[in-house]
Amino acid sequence: MSQNKGGRSRSEGAREAILAATRQLLVERGYDRLTIEGVAALAGVGKQTIYRWWGSKSALVAEYVTHDDTLVADAGVPDTGDLQADLESWLEDAIARSNSQPTAGLLRGLVAAAAEDSSVAENLFASLSGRAEQALIARVRQAKPVSAETARITVAAITGAIIYALLTNRPLPEGSAAVLAGLIDGGLSRE
Amino acid sequence: MSQNKGGRSRSEGAREAILAATRQLLVERGYDRLTIEGVAALAGVGKQTIYRWWGSKSALVAEYVTHDDTLVADAGVPDTGDLQADLESWLEDAIARSNSQPTAGLLRGLVAAAAEDSSVAENLFASLSGRAEQALIARVRQAKPVSAETARITVAAITGAIIYALLTNRPLPEGSAAVLAGLIDGGLSRE
Amino acid sequence: MSQNKGGRSRSEGAREAILAATRQLLVERGYDRLTIEGVAALAGVGKQTIYRWWGSKSALVAEYVTHDDTLVADAGVPDTGDLQADLESWLEDAIARSNSQPTAGLLRGLVAAAAEDSSVAENLFASLSGRAEQALIARVRQAKPVSAETARITVAAITGAIIYALLTNRPLPEGSAAVLAGLIDGGLSRE
Amino acid sequence: MSQNKGGRSRSEGAREAILAATRQLLVERGYDRLTIEGVAALAGVGKQTIYRWWGSKSALVAEYVTHDDTLVADAGVPDTGDLQADLESWLEDAIARSNSQPTAGLLRGLVAAAAEDSSVAENLFASLSGRAEQALIARVRQAKPVSAETARITVAAITGAIIYALLTNRPLPEGSAAVLAGLIDGGLSRE
DNA sequence: CCATAACCGAGACGGTACGTCTTGTCTTGCC
DNA sequence: GGCAAGACAAGACGTACCGTCTCGGTTATGG
């Protein structure tokens, strides 16, 4: 039932080998020095198999992004009743993850890919911050009487701080989670 | 004294034509579809003239970034005594600039370049937010009794919000400047 | 059995187009102004297709030489019993061929190629005079009691006279075939 | 008096350094891998100095040829009264010279240059065999009642045999001088 | 149970761009 | 004005990948 008429089924092994090779080369070489030929060779696969199912480098990266669960290990924001503490612990985790190699290099490659190709951007942010973003926004609005838009901008500032640190190669220091959490808690209280 | 020993002097006209062509192609095609051959052809210049002085695509973009004054038209933060109002008007301007075409496309290309190459990142953020960043940090610390590090993180959150909006193709809405300015004013008052 | 393992077979059409383009450009521009890019463009072929199979300009010319049958239209020396007459008619033909355009220009190009690259020399002389040389030597030794070496030198003198005329741009005049044939017949009778 | 108006005279040192460098590179790399830049660098000279006086690679080689006396060390054919013996000793010398390194490589380069460029051919053969050719022709006609044309063709055969050996990388063996001399003596006696 | 059809690895194809090398011209400053 | 130095526009070099197109071979139905 997986295909219309006769014919061999798509190879799941090839698909996984390709996505794994994509990840490895993205880490090792970055987005624009990532080549389809390199992926094919590393995955032990013909180029045509890649072009058959993905069609372009960006489509490949776009799918890789939604497929790798380790990028957003824990999307859920804890709820102990203390917004400040919950935000802080979630941020602590997110910042630590974005600072550790090889994740940092991988993320930089993905940001490059997102900047070059809007479909990658779509998937990256849906997957990376998207789920967390919704949770964060809901959590914030639960505690503070603010509009959805205001909450969204606020959350963008937090996510943006992490990306900005990544791009400028200046990792966020120890107490950053507290500062950023305080930004929300204090900043929004006035509205 | 224009050069050490014998030999023709470097052509200033060629240098300017190359940087102008770099800008144009960055806007039109983005960073990874920007080619040295394309720049050379558009600038009416031999490829060797580019490689003699820059050596790589990223070096070319890195210099373009520091050379283009229109990227950071007004780096100075106004000082009327009212921090909230000053931040808001400065942000209004910065957000408007990052939203207008073709600047938005150009910035996306530059973010891609920065993500791929750390020397571009260095120059881009030194030039783009660097000067403003220092001014903002100083301004904030003048009004609030916070550490330099805290101020830096806070400013990163604001800058990051703009970049995040750019990357996700979701322009910041009207009232964003006020929200972001309020973030600082309210968020830091608790420290 | 057209190839070892998987993969598309070599294109015979491309191979022929490349050799034809080589010939045309050799005639039009000579050996050192013959470019691989020019051959590729004229043949409607990617450069890599040339480099895949030949690897250098000289290898290309070397194969062209063994491939073009018109260079040595008739390698056979007639045998009417009269050595002098047979040599003369064979020489008449060879000289006429080397004097006619565009063959003369082509031969000059090939001599240049042979002088630059010993593998071209190998193939050129194997193909051009090689077969004829063996026939001539055999024919001479059949009529005259001389050593193989002596016969070889004598034949080299005849071939050399034609090449020398070509190089110096001084075509051999009418009666040359008779003079050269007489050289053998008379010159060797003394041994 | 060496120039029209004011200004520095042409540097004889530069001229000689250039021709010496031309010779060296011709031996080391052959004609088509000889570059003007290489000559300029080796001679310690600006490129313009070469272009000012010669204008092209072939002109440079063409002048080098007429300038190097070692190419035709002894142009005179001895005259002891015995034509066969005189020819033989002259040929012995010529063959030995064409077989010895680095002269052989140099000659191959020059033949390549001659095949590519008719002005080089002109000078090469005027210089190389020209003087000797006239002497040989005169000497032969003094002994044999043949036309100038016949003598010229005969001499071409001898010169050609040496060039042919050079091009095919098959050095003429020991007794070759005698065979070639005999060719003339015997071959022409019938006329 | 075997023909048909879509998959697979491999790799040649026509192309584009790479970064380097050389050409012939043109400054530049010293002699 | 000659000269060494060297920047310039142009364009070929040989290599790396692009995305497409065969090749032979391998699963999978479905007639």
Side-chain angles (χ1 to χ4, degrees):
Chain A
M1 82 181 59
S2 59
Q3 70 276 2
N4 294 337
K5 296 204 4 193
R8 187 177 180 171
S9 315
R10 176 172 183 180
S11 159
E12 186 56 28
R15 179 173 168 276
E16 278 164 14
I18 289 165
L19 291 172
T22 300
R23 184 200 150 94
Q24 182 178 335
L25 293 177
L26 210 43
V27 170
E28 285 175 6
R29 314 172 65 84
Y31 180 70
D32 78 355
R33 290 169 52 214
L34 171 74
T35 66
I36 298 278
E37 292 212 330
V39 172
L42 183 58
V45 135
K47 286 163 60 175
Q48 194 58 242
T49 300
I50 298 180
Y51 283 108
R52 186 169 10 248
W53 302 110
W54 288 280
S56 75
K57 184 166 81 166
S58 58
L60 188 54
V61 173
E63 175 165 342
Y64 159 67
V65 150
T66 61
H67 160 269
D68 185 350
D69 293 332
T70 70
L71 283 177
V72 272
D74 181 17
V77 183
D79 188 351
T80 64
D82 180 350
L83 178 60
Q84 169 82 14
D86 289 351
L87 284 173
E88 206 172 314
S89 78
W90 184 85
L91 278 167
E92 208 98 59
D93 185 47
I95 290 171
R97 212 158 40 217
S98 80
N99 277 343
S100 67
Q101 284 295 350
T103 314
L106 178 58
L107 284 174
R108 238 191 309 276
L110 292 175
V111 169
E116 311 261 26
D117 187 286
S118 62
S119 78
V120 174
E122 205 79 21
N123 285 17
L124 177 60
F125 295 107
S127 170
L128 194 59
S129 59
R131 283 178 288 169
E133 195 175 301
Q134 294 313 313
L136 277 175
I137 290 174
R139 192 76 176 70
V140 165
R141 296 190 68 192
Q142 184 181 331
K144 308 271 177 176
V146 294
S147 69
E149 197 166 275
T150 299
R152 191 169 74 74
I153 295 168
T154 308
V155 170
I158 290 175
T159 318
I162 298 175
I163 290 174
Y164 183 76
L166 192 75
L167 279 177
T168 53
N169 247 324
R170 289 182 292 185
L172 290 170
E174 274 300 303
S176 304
V179 175
L180 290 173
L183 222 52
I184 287 184
D185 206 15
L188 297 178
S189 60
R190 296 286 174 90
E191 189 161 314
Chain B
M1 193 203 263
S2 59
Q3 73 274 8
N4 293 338
K5 299 214 340 199
R8 188 178 181 169
S9 313
R10 177 171 183 181
S11 160
E12 185 56 27
R15 179 173 168 275
E16 278 162 15
I18 289 165
L19 291 171
T22 300
R23 185 201 150 96
Q24 182 178 334
L25 293 177
L26 211 42
V27 170
E28 286 175 5
R29 313 173 68 83
Y31 181 71
D32 79 354
R33 289 169 51 213
L34 171 73
T35 67
I36 298 280
E37 291 208 333
V39 172
L42 184 58
V45 135
K47 284 163 61 175
Q48 194 62 66
T49 300
I50 298 180
Y51 283 109
R52 184 174 306 118
W53 301 110
W54 288 281
S56 73
K57 184 164 81 166
S58 57
L60 186 54
V61 173
E63 176 164 341
Y64 159 66
V65 150
T66 61
H67 161 269
D68 186 349
D69 293 332
T70 70
L71 283 176
V72 272
D74 181 18
V77 183
D79 187 351
T80 63
D82 180 352
L83 178 60
Q84 169 82 17
D86 289 350
L87 284 173
E88 207 173 315
S89 79
W90 184 86
L91 278 167
E92 207 97 59
D93 185 47
I95 291 171
R97 210 158 43 218
S98 79
N99 276 344
S100 67
Q101 284 295 350
T103 314
L106 178 57
L107 284 174
R108 235 189 312 275
L110 291 176
V111 169
E116 310 262 25
D117 186 285
S118 62
S119 77
V120 174
E122 204 79 20
N123 286 16
L124 178 59
F125 295 108
S127 171
L128 196 60
S129 58
R131 283 179 287 168
E133 193 174 305
Q134 294 313 311
L136 278 175
I137 291 174
R139 192 76 175 69
V140 164
R141 297 192 65 196
Q142 186 181 331
K144 308 269 176 177
V146 296
S147 71
E149 197 166 276
T150 299
R152 191 169 76 73
I153 295 168
T154 308
V155 169
I158 291 176
T159 318
I162 298 176
I163 290 174
Y164 183 77
L166 193 73
L167 279 176
T168 53
N169 248 323
R170 288 182 290 184
L172 289 171
E174 274 299 302
S176 304
V179 175
L180 290 173
L183 223 51
I184 286 184
D185 205 16
L188 296 178
S189 60
R190 296 284 174 91
E191 190 160 314
Chain C
M1 193 204 260
S2 60
Q3 74 274 8
N4 293 337
K5 298 208 351 197
R8 189 178 181 170
S9 314
R10 177 171 184 182
S11 160
E12 185 57 28
R15 180 173 168 274
E16 277 163 16
I18 289 165
L19 291 172
T22 300
R23 184 201 150 95
Q24 182 178 334
L25 293 177
L26 210 43
V27 170
E28 286 176 5
R29 313 173 67 85
Y31 180 70
D32 79 353
R33 290 170 51 214
L34 172 73
T35 66
I36 298 279
E37 292 208 334
V39 172
L42 183 58
V45 135
K47 284 163 61 174
Q48 196 59 241
T49 299
I50 298 181
Y51 284 108
R52 178 153 35 238
W53 301 110
W54 287 280
S56 74
K57 185 165 80 165
S58 58
L60 186 53
V61 173
E63 176 165 341
Y64 159 66
V65 150
T66 61
H67 160 270
D68 184 351
D69 293 332
T70 69
L71 284 176
V72 273
D74 181 18
V77 184
D79 187 351
T80 64
D82 180 351
L83 177 61
Q84 169 80 17
D86 289 351
L87 284 173
E88 207 172 313
S89 79
W90 183 86
L91 279 167
E92 207 98 58
D93 185 49
I95 292 171
R97 211 158 42 217
S98 79
N99 277 343
S100 67
Q101 284 297 347
T103 313
L106 177 57
L107 285 174
R108 236 189 312 276
L110 292 175
V111 168
E116 310 262 26
D117 186 284
S118 63
S119 78
V120 174
E122 204 79 21
N123 286 17
L124 177 60
F125 295 107
S127 171
L128 195 60
S129 58
R131 284 179 286 169
E133 193 174 303
Q134 295 311 314
L136 277 174
I137 291 173
R139 191 76 176 69
V140 165
R141 296 190 69 194
Q142 185 181 331
K144 308 270 177 176
V146 296
S147 70
E149 196 167 278
T150 299
R152 191 170 76 74
I153 296 167
T154 308
V155 169
I158 290 175
T159 318
I162 298 175
I163 290 173
Y164 183 77
L166 193 75
L167 280 176
T168 52
N169 247 323
R170 290 182 290 185
L172 290 171
E174 274 299 301
S176 304
V179 175
L180 290 172
L183 223 51
I184 288 185
D185 204 17
L188 296 177
S189 60
R190 294 287 174 91
E191 188 161 311
Chain D
M1 80 191 56
S2 58
Q3 72 279 4
N4 295 338
K5 298 206 355 194
R8 188 176 181 173
S9 314
R10 177 173 183 180
S11 160
E12 186 56 28
R15 180 172 169 275
E16 278 163 14
I18 289 165
L19 291 172
T22 300
R23 184 201 150 96
Q24 182 178 335
L25 292 176
L26 210 43
V27 170
E28 286 176 3
R29 312 172 66 83
Y31 180 70
D32 78 355
R33 289 170 50 214
L34 171 74
T35 66
I36 298 277
E37 291 212 329
V39 172
L42 183 59
V45 135
K47 285 163 61 177
Q48 195 55 242
T49 301
I50 297 180
Y51 283 108
R52 186 168 10 247
W53 303 109
W54 287 279
S56 75
K57 185 164 81 165
S58 57
L60 188 54
V61 173
E63 175 165 340
Y64 159 66
V65 150
T66 62
H67 160 269
D68 185 350
D69 292 333
T70 70
L71 283 176
V72 274
D74 182 17
V77 183
D79 187 352
T80 64
D82 181 350
L83 177 61
Q84 168 82 16
D86 290 351
L87 283 173
E88 206 172 313
S89 78
W90 184 87
L91 278 168
E92 207 98 58
D93 186 47
I95 291 171
R97 211 158 41 218
S98 79
N99 277 344
S100 67
Q101 283 296 348
T103 315
L106 178 57
L107 284 173
R108 239 190 309 274
L110 292 175
V111 168
E116 310 262 27
D117 186 286
S118 62
S119 78
V120 175
E122 205 78 21
N123 286 16
L124 178 60
F125 295 108
S127 171
L128 196 60
S129 58
R131 284 177 287 169
E133 193 174 303
Q134 294 313 312
L136 278 174
I137 291 174
R139 192 76 175 68
V140 165
R141 296 190 69 196
Q142 187 181 329
K144 308 270 176 177
V146 295
S147 70
E149 197 168 274
T150 298
R152 191 170 75 73
I153 295 168
T154 308
V155 169
I158 290 175
T159 318
I162 297 176
I163 290 174
Y164 184 77
L166 193 73
L167 280 176
T168 53
N169 249 322
R170 289 182 291 187
L172 289 170
E174 274 299 304
S176 304
V179 175
L180 291 173
L183 222 52
I184 288 184
D185 205 16
L188 297 178
S189 61
R190 295 286 173 90
E191 189 161 311

